[in-house]
Every structure is written in C-alpha cells, then in structure tokens.
Amino acid sequence: MEYGAAAGTRRVPGGLQGAEDVRYPPVAEHGLIGDLRSAALVDTRGTIDWYCCPRFDAPSVFASILDADRGGSFELTADTPARTKQFYFPDTNVLITRFFAEDGVGEIQDFMPVVDDSREAGRHRLIRRVVCVRGSLPFRARVAPRFEYGARPHTVRAGHGQAVFETPGLTLALTASAPLEVAGPDVWSLFKLHEGESAVFALDRIGGDVAPRFCPLSEAEQQFNATVGYWRRWLSRSRYRGRWREMVHRSALTLKLLTYAPTGAIIAAPTTSLPERIGGERNWDYRYVWIRDAAFCVYALLRLGFTEEAEAFMGFLSEHVRLEIPADDGAAGTSRGTGPLQIMYGIDGRRELPERELSHLEGYRGSAPVRVGNGAVGQLQLDIYGALIDALYLYDKWGRPISSAHWESIGEVVDWVCDHWDQPDQGIWESRGAGEKHLYSRLMCWVAVERAMRLAQHRGLPVDIVRWGRARDAIYRRIMDHGWSTERNAFVQYEGGHVLDASLLMMPLAKFVSPTDPKWLATLDALGEDLVSDSLVYRYDPQVSPDGLSGDEGTFSICSFWYVEALTRAGRLDEARLAFEKMLTYANHLGLYAEEIGRTGEQTGNFPQAFTHLALISAAFNLDRALG
C-alpha cells in the first residue's frame, strides 16, 4: 500500500498522541551518531528525530525535529514511566541512552558502523541495540519514515522480521529481532526484555548492489565492538594531554563525525533550519562546506595531530574547489564577480546550492521557514581567503609541504586579493543587508597576503614580493587608520561605523596586532562592556547594525571561545580560565554545542556546530599552554 507523506502520529497502545509542545525536545537534548557519510540525531527519549540518507545533504528520512507531525521519526523507548540519561561509550561516537524504571534498567546502544569504500559503505547501516541490564522492562518502537523532507509518499511491506519502506529514489529495510507490525505508513513493535536479554533493530539502505541482510544479535555485537574499536583507534592519535582532555577529545570526535569520507569535506553542521531564535526567521541550512569553517577545522585538527584529516581536506580543495578569476570591469579594485572562490560548496564539490523554503513543514517549535540550500553561496566574503591560505600555511608547516600546483593556486588567489581587498562585502556573518567595508574582511585579506609571503620566504618559492608587500602594508594602514573609532576608543565593525563586532577578537589571534597593544586592550575592554554577558559573547547588536533580517539572537559560542583566547593572549589568565570554565557549563550533557546560546542558557541554532568545537579546541590548547 502507498501512504501519504504527510501522515501524522497515530494512536496505538503506548504511542505518542497529539501535537503538544513536548513533541519538540530542547536542541541540547540530543546526541549525534554517524558513519562519515551521513548522521542522525537521537534525543534523550530514545527517538531519532533527524536523519538524512545516504549523505549529510540528502533529503531527510526522519525530520520530526522540524515538524513533529510530518517529519517522521524512529521512536524506541521504555513502554513504562522511566527516567533517562544519555552518554557516549567512552572515547567513541557510540551513543547510549539509559532508562531507569521501577522494575528494571535498560539501555539503547545507537551507532552507525564505519566502513571503507566497499559496497557495504552504501548500506549506511543504523543499528539500535536494546539491552535490559537489571530486572525487566517493556519497550515500544515506532518506525515512521517520511521521505524527501516529508513530501514523498512511500510504500511499506513487512514479513519474517523485516519491513521495507520504498520510494522511487530510496529504499530502506528494517530488520528486527523483536516482532514487527505494520500500522498504516509505520511499523510498530512492542516487546519485553528480562535481565541479560537484548533486541536489535537495524535500518539499511538497500538497492543496486546492496542486498537486504538481517542483523542477528551476534552480528550486532560484532559491529558494536568493531565500531568502538574504530573510534578508539582514531582518537588514540591525538597529541593533546592538557587539562581539558575530555572536552577537547569530544570536540575532535564531533569534528570527525562531520567529515564526509568520500571527498574529505567537513560540513558546518549536520542539520538545517534549527532556529537561532524560537519563532524567528534566522533558519539556515548548514550541511555544506564553508571554506572558512573547514579551514579552521584543519587548524584545530593539526593542533591535535590529526594530519590525515587535514590532508583529506587539502585533497577536497585540489579536486573540487576550482579557481575562477572573474573579469575586471575596467575600474581599479572592482570586479563583476564575487571572487575566485565561492564561500561554500557541496560535500561533493558542487557549486550550485539553490535555496528554497519547505512551506509544508512548520519548523522547530513553529520556527518557519524551513530552508534547504543556502542563498549566501553567491555572496562576496573576503575573509575566506585569509582563512584558506592560513590553513595551507599551517598544513605546510605541521603537515606536509604543499605542492608546486598548490603554490600556483595560492599565487593566483593572493594576486586577486591584492587587487580586490578594498571592496564592500557581506562579511563573516553573511549579512543579507547591504555590503560594508568590514574590518574583519580586511584583517583576513592581510592574513592571506602575509601568510603567503611567509610561506614563500620559508620555502624559497617564486613571488612578486614587492607587489605583495605593498598590498599587505596598504591593508594594514587602512585598518589602523579607518578601522579605529576615536569615539568608541576601539576598532569597529566596518569603516565609518561605530558598531563593535566580536570578529575583532581575531585581531591578536591572527597576529595582526600585539595582544598587549594599547589600542587592542581598549578594544578588548569595549567588547567586554558591550557584547559580553557572563562570559558569553554576542557577535554584534543587530538593532544598531542591521543585517537584513528581523529579530534578535543569542550569544555566538565561537565568539565566546575567541574571547577566552584573546584574554589568554593578553595575559589575563584568571579571567580567561573562568570564562572558559563557564563556557563548558553551557555544553549539553554530552559535551556538544549548537551555534548559539539563548538568554536562559538554552542552545539554539544548528547542532552540533563545527565552528564552535574547533574554537573550543583552540582556546583549550592555548590557555593550557599559557597556564603551564
């Protein structure tokens, strides 16, 4: 039978009912699992409410986090009142959700086996192993896929411990050791386990050369051990031995989960349209490769000793990110194009990421619109060139020497930056308003030229040192002369303005200004007064610096970690350590961070966010080193 894609929840024994607020757990009440190709969010109730298959940017199969009625989910929970706790199996990305009930204790072990490039990689197996560890416990499961973001009808057929959900573009097979029952478009299971007993549910993508295959208890045990072994072997390569090892390693494991193994791409986050403010319109799709984010990821991973990941990303750049120098329109310093690089790419390197709204989905807690694709792809953001070339510089220093082909590409980019750094752009925060001459963009253009010059000198590479040096010095003078506001006694967001911006915290981090320079210390104090609240940092005030969107937002977690690092470099170690320890209290129960933190400490925005975790790694590394 075929069922409509928008079918809602159904009333069955023990099932969920209605459309109450509790249908949407807090963003922070989730853990992440994945196989380096796709990922799923599991909430503390045991429900998978976000899963895209077969890759991060594919249409969702489960998306009840964006619409509890139409999105689809995979519920698996104790069928009796129970308290729950969630943790990661130590040093892995295997997620454990525990249920504490009057008559027993049970747990769900959620994981996705990580396999090589064989046909098994196309299976994208998602295993949910249920174990009763004390007493006895009843469980219920409801598997309710809603394909293509809840817009594509599917057929379901079941028999002999298996159910197959099928659409023209995707077929999923559910196998289970517990009894299955078809109920409309969904599959249900009610079962009871006694101490020492277990049950297994496995969801596979099938089709082509991937045939249906059951997952017996013994195979689930073997794949559990293999997955634990994989993550522990990977993490053992870390060189970090500092004070905050647990948080740093959880951040590293999260960054690895956000890596797309076939190309080496690193996505910004595995979700789309989780709102920056409940009920607001600041809802974006982050399942792509931002040159800025990915370059910072390379920096963080190199710091920890994960050179293979850095090398894989360099491979992504070489193969998929093609330089396209736009034609000048004849006026000096202007260009008809946006630059030789886009700010973001698809995980396969594609350049077209058209943005559209999914009006049939209500959004997380009614926060519409839900968007897929990202219209910022065509923006001019000049800071990406500094982030990219700084990453290449660090890769050459700590990883492997860059190739002659890489140097040719760097030369083309830097030549372009020398000609075009003095343009208005949309800035690091991707404003949807009018372009400005952002200080941070100037700063990172300076970084692009300065790091390239340093690399050329270190390696003895050919370069027009006079031309590059002239551009580097011109950018420096422009920032010092026009980026400083005597009225604010601080550096400001853009030329001619008086607005502060947390991206200025990168000035000493990028080695543009001494961390104890009087002008910088005055700016640090001004940022602390205007944008810092209990160690949390707002990126700017949208009420005085319009960004083309309505509403306000929470504090930006990456900026809070930048603040820690800026305090560290300024020698204010007691303040830095306190701010860092406070930031750690805002992590969720698993050590994960969304993009922002709201006024009452709730996590908002896409989750978990790579940018935040890489900033945590950098702050921890530098603070730990300064404390000695």
Side-chain angles (χ1 to χ4, degrees):
M1 280 181 82
E2 184 175 274
Y3 295 92
T9 55
R10 297 172 60 86
R11 182 187 295 270
V12 300
L16 294 177
Q17 304 174 30
E20 303 161 352
D21 258 355
V22 293
R23 300 172 307 153
Y24 294 101
V27 168
E29 293 293 310
H30 288 87
L32 183 72
I33 60 173
D35 62 358
L36 308 185
R37 289 166 173 82
S38 58
L41 290 182
V42 187
D43 71 26
T44 52
R45 303 173 302 185
T47 296
I48 296 177
D49 56 15
W50 178 256
Y51 176 53
C52 296
C53 185
R55 41 189 253 177
F56 294 115
D57 57 355
S60 63
V61 173
F62 303 130
S64 59
I65 197 170
L66 295 179
D67 193 308
D69 290 328
R70 299 176 178 85
S73 64
F74 188 159
E75 300 167 19
L76 182 55
T77 189
D79 196 23
T80 187
R83 295 180 295 109
T84 66
K85 292 187 177 181
Q86 202 174 53
F87 68 99
Y88 278 113
F89 201 78
D91 294 335
T92 78
N93 282 315
V94 175
L95 187 64
I96 312 294
T97 306
R98 309 201 83 202
F99 300 87
F100 301 84
E102 183 176 345
D103 295 327
V105 178
E107 66 183 36
I108 302 170
Q109 302 165 356
D110 282 312
F111 61 98
M112 297 174 68
V114 179
V115 297
D116 57 21
D117 292 329
S118 67
R119 71 174 60 181
E120 279 301 299
R123 186 176 296 278
H124 300 285
R125 170 162 279 187
L126 194 163
I127 294 178
R128 314 199 72 187
R129 187 167 72 154
V130 192
V131 181
C132 182
V133 296
R134 296 181 64 185
S136 62
L137 208 59
F139 289 89
R140 71 175 184 269
R142 171 179 177 259
V143 186
R146 299 292 184 265
F147 294 85
E148 295 276 349
Y149 304 108
R152 171 79 69 175
H154 66 274
T155 61
V156 57
R157 62 182 188 276
H160 307 292
Q162 177 178 267
V164 176
F165 305 94
E166 189 169 13
T167 68
L170 181 63
T171 301
L172 298 179
L174 173 73
T175 59
S177 62
L180 298 177
E181 178 182 346
V182 175
D186 309 334
V187 171
W188 290 85
S189 182
L190 298 172
F191 59 98
K192 188 172 186 178
L193 297 177
H194 299 281
E195 187 169 325
E197 293 181 338
S198 62
V200 172
F201 295 80
L203 189 67
D204 294 351
R205 172 184 178 255
I206 61 173
D209 58 357
V210 180
R213 192 181 78 217
F214 281 84
C215 184
L217 299 180
S218 58
E219 182 172 340
E221 175 82 16
Q222 182 274 324
Q223 294 204 340
F224 175 88
N225 292 330
T227 305
V228 166
Y230 170 84
W231 288 114
R232 287 182 169 174
R233 285 191 302 274
W234 182 82
L235 191 61
S236 69
R237 292 160 39 203
S238 169
R239 294 199 301 252
Y240 182 79
R241 299 292 184 270
R243 293 169 173 81
W244 298 284
R245 186 179 178 188
E246 184 175 349
M247 289 299 293
V248 167
H249 281 176
R250 177 50 52 198
S251 292
L253 284 163
T254 303
L255 292 176
K256 181 64 173 176
L257 269 182
L258 301 181
T259 302
Y260 184 61
T263 64
I266 303 172
I267 61 171
T271 56
T272 181
S273 300
L274 293 183
E276 297 177 16
R277 182 177 65 86
I278 301 301
E281 64 170 329
R282 299 169 184 266
N283 316 322
W284 314 110
D285 192 346
Y286 277 13
R287 298 171 298 158
Y288 307 114
V289 187
W290 268 255
I291 296 298
R292 175 193 307 114
D293 295 23
F296 279 120
C297 282
V298 169
Y299 167 81
L301 291 168
L302 282 172
R303 278 291 194 195
L304 301 180
F306 294 108
T307 55
E308 289 183 13
E309 284 66 32
E311 185 174 353
F313 180 64
M314 293 301 112
F316 174 84
L317 293 178
S318 298
E319 183 174 355
H320 299 289
V321 179
R322 297 175 180 84
L323 297 172
E324 294 186 4
I325 305 296
D328 289 344
D329 64 5
T334 61
S335 168
R336 287 196 181 98
T338 59
L341 298 177
Q342 289 188 174
I343 68 166
M344 72 181 89
Y345 296 83
I347 56 176
D348 54 2
R350 73 188 187 280
R351 302 174 66 88
E352 300 298 324
L353 305 172
E355 182 178 300
R356 60 190 176 94
E357 297 182 2
L358 305 180
S359 58
H360 63 284
L361 297 179
E362 72 172 7
Y364 177 77
R365 295 189 177 179
S367 303
V370 172
R371 296 182 173 96
V372 295
N374 199 304
V377 68
Q379 288 187 355
L380 175 64
Q381 297 177 20
L382 292 168
D383 66 281
I384 67 169
Y385 300 100
L388 176 62
I389 293 180
D390 197 27
L392 289 163
Y393 166 77
L394 294 170
Y395 178 70
D396 181 86
K397 181 178 180 180
W398 295 334
R400 294 185 179 181
I402 62 169
S403 67
S404 57
H406 274 135
W407 179 247
E408 291 297 322
S409 297
I410 289 173
E412 291 181 20
V413 170
V414 175
D415 283 339
W416 186 89
V417 170
C418 288
D419 289 335
H420 300 94
W421 62 267
D422 190 21
Q423 294 186 72
D425 73 345
Q426 305 310 123
I428 181 176
W429 308 129
E430 299 182 354
S431 167
R432 301 262 171 143
E436 298 285 356
K437 294 190 174 185
H438 292 96
L439 187 150
Y440 182 76
S441 299
R442 303 284 183 275
L443 168 69
M444 296 309 289
C445 285
W446 178 89
V447 167
V449 182
E450 196 276 338
R451 298 299 192 272
M453 292 177 66
R454 193 185 300 189
L455 178 57
Q457 184 176 15
H458 173 69
R459 291 278 304 278
L461 297 167
V463 59
D464 187 345
I465 197 73
V466 173
R467 179 170 184 258
W468 287 11
R470 188 182 299 118
R472 178 199 61 186
D473 296 348
I475 300 170
Y476 178 89
R477 294 190 183 98
R478 185 63 170 265
I479 291 174
M480 300 303 287
D481 294 343
H482 297 276
W484 175 262
S485 169
T486 54
E487 177 182 327
R488 298 303 307 271
N489 193 37
F491 291 105
V492 290
Q493 185 180 56
Y494 55 82
E495 291 184 10
H498 304 287
V499 178
L500 297 180
D501 190 306
S503 64
L504 304 177
L505 291 163
M506 281 295 296
M507 294 181 75
L509 277 58
K511 302 186 186 303
F512 176 86
V513 66
S514 164
T516 57
D517 185 291
K519 280 191 170 183
W520 168 248
L521 292 178
T523 302
L524 185 59
D525 288 339
L527 290 169
E529 293 173 6
D530 276 29
L531 298 182
V532 178
S533 172
D534 190 40
S535 82
L536 301 177
V537 182
Y538 293 93
R539 53 182 179 172
Y540 57 88
D541 183 350
Q543 302 304 317
V544 297
S545 178
D547 55 12
L549 297 166
S550 62
D552 55 11
E553 58 183 19
T555 57
F556 231 64
S557 293
I558 186 174
C559 300
S560 300
F561 286 118
W562 285 348
Y563 185 57
V564 169
E565 195 163 346
L567 290 171
T568 299
R569 293 174 185 261
R572 294 157 61 172
L573 298 184
D574 287 343
E575 292 178 65
R577 185 166 189 176
L578 180 59
F580 187 74
E581 294 288 358
K582 283 184 176 181
M583 266 303 295
L584 297 185
T585 69
Y586 288 102
N588 83 340
H589 57 290
L590 299 169
L592 303 181
Y593 289 89
E595 184 176 35
E596 300 184 15
I597 296 171
R599 292 187 181 277
T600 59
E602 75 278 11
Q603 298 212 31
T604 62
N606 285 307
F607 175 89
Q609 197 200 35
F611 221 175
T612 302
H613 285 279
L614 65 93
L616 183 155
I617 291 171
S618 183
F621 183 92
N622 286 287
L623 178 57
D624 195 69
R625 183 172 58 181
L627 290 170

